[in-house]
Amino acid sequence: MPIVKYRGATEPLWHEWDRKAQKCGLRHTVYAVNGDQYTGEWLDNLKHGKGTQVWKCTGAIYSGDWKFGKRDGYGSYSIPDPVTKDYKKVYTGWWKNDQKCGYGVTFYAGRKRYEGEWSGGLRSGWGRMYYRDGSIYEGQWLENKPNGQGMLRLPNENRYEGGWKGGKKHGPGKFFYLDKGQLFEGIWAADIPKCGILIDFGRDEAPAPTQYPIPKVTAWKYGFC
């Protein structure tokens, strides 16, 4: 086998040919043994720069930034519709170390959608979630669940504003029953109101007010003459 001198050492010639053939900078299309396909930029035989990956098994496509073989930067991830076969976006936004990280938008089945911050592939930080029934949550998230301060607005415009923990109402909060013209303000624990006060609020504008208004609480002062 032919040999060459390389940095004072002797090595097979095919090592030299291999170094010259390494993908670096230019765009190349490479097919994996399992049928996956990548077209884009490379650095030291790693996906690096702009590129598009197609997974044969699922048909999913990622198009965007890469860094040393992993999705890193801005990019979009799409999957084919099982019926129409048309591609629909699942996520568009920022990535880090092959996971969603930073601001991004995710589209779920049933017209659900999340717009906001991510960390380690999970909804974490500030975000807004649109649910299938028309409800909207806007506020803080931690590991895919509402956590911190946030507001949940229901389809009938009633809303809760206050604390959340692990996806449930927790801590001081207010629930506006705008359909009845009432407001409950109190303390919540695991989605259950533990104590508080219920008062009339916007009763004159409410579409379905209660039959009688809530009596006002009057404080009496007692003393001796």
Side-chain angles (χ1 to χ4, degrees), residues 113-116 123 125-142 144-154 159-169:
R113 182 173 85 254
Y114 172 81
E115 303 171 351
R123 290 169 287 183
W126 178 92
R128 183 188 296 119
M129 182 74 189
Y130 297 84
Y131 295 95
R132 182 180 303 177
D133 65 355
S135 301
I136 301 174
Y137 171 82
E138 181 174 358
Q140 295 174 305
W141 293 75
L142 180 65
N144 269 346
K145 295 180 179 179
N147 200 94
Q149 292 296 307
M151 179 186 72
L152 175 66
R153 187 168 71 241
L154 303 177
R159 70 179 186 272
Y160 168 82
E161 299 176 1
W164 296 79
K165 184 177 181 180
K168 297 181 179 180
K169 306 177 191 70

Side-chain angles (χ1 to χ4, degrees), residues 87 121 153 157 193:
Y87 275 93
R153 187 168 71 241
E157 298 301 324

Side-chain angles (χ1 to χ4, degrees), residues 188-206:
W188 302 70
D191 254 355
I192 300 174
K194 293 297 183 178
C195 63
I197 183 171
L198 182 67
I199 62 173
D200 285 326
F201 181 87
R203 179 180 172 82
D204 294 336
E205 295 80 25

Side-chain angles (χ1 to χ4, degrees), residues 34-185:
N34 61 4
D36 294 349
Q37 174 186 340
Y38 172 81
T39 300
E41 298 174 330
W42 298 78
L43 179 64
D44 295 333
N45 273 343
L46 294 174
K47 304 163 191 172
H48 192 88
K50 302 289 184 181
T52 300
Q53 169 87 21
V54 181
W55 288 268
K56 182 179 180 180
C57 181
T58 62
I61 293 179
Y62 169 81
S63 182
D65 296 325
W66 296 78
K67 186 175 181 181
F68 301 118
K70 297 182 178 180
R71 291 169 289 187
D72 201 300
Y74 189 85
S76 62
Y77 180 79
S78 304
I79 61 173
D81 185 278
V83 178
T84 66
K85 305 304 179 182
D86 295 332
Y87 275 93
K88 56 182 182 181
K89 285 186 178 180
V90 174
Y91 175 79
T92 298
W94 292 92
W95 302 72
K96 187 176 180 63
N97 198 30
D98 226 25
Q99 294 181 322
K100 303 169 189 172
C101 188
Y103 184 86
V105 180
T106 291
F107 301 90
Y108 300 92
R111 301 180 67 179
K112 296 191 298 182
R113 182 173 85 254
Y114 172 81
E115 303 171 351
E117 296 176 309
W118 297 77
S119 179
L122 303 175
R123 290 169 287 183
S124 292
W126 178 92
R128 183 188 296 119
M129 182 74 189
Y130 297 84
Y131 295 95
R132 182 180 303 177
D133 65 355
S135 301
I136 301 174
Y137 171 82
E138 181 174 358
Q140 295 174 305
W141 293 75
L142 180 65
E143 296 180 349
N144 269 346
K145 295 180 179 179
N147 200 94
Q149 292 296 307
M151 179 186 72
L152 175 66
R153 187 168 71 241
L154 303 177
N156 62 1
E157 298 301 324
N158 289 350
R159 70 179 186 272
Y160 168 82
E161 299 176 1
W164 296 79
K165 184 177 181 180
K168 297 181 179 180
K169 306 177 191 70
H170 194 89
K174 299 178 181 180
F175 202 109
F176 295 83
Y177 297 94
L178 300 182
D179 57 340
K180 297 180 180 180
Q182 295 179 335
L183 165 64
F184 175 82
E185 184 174 1

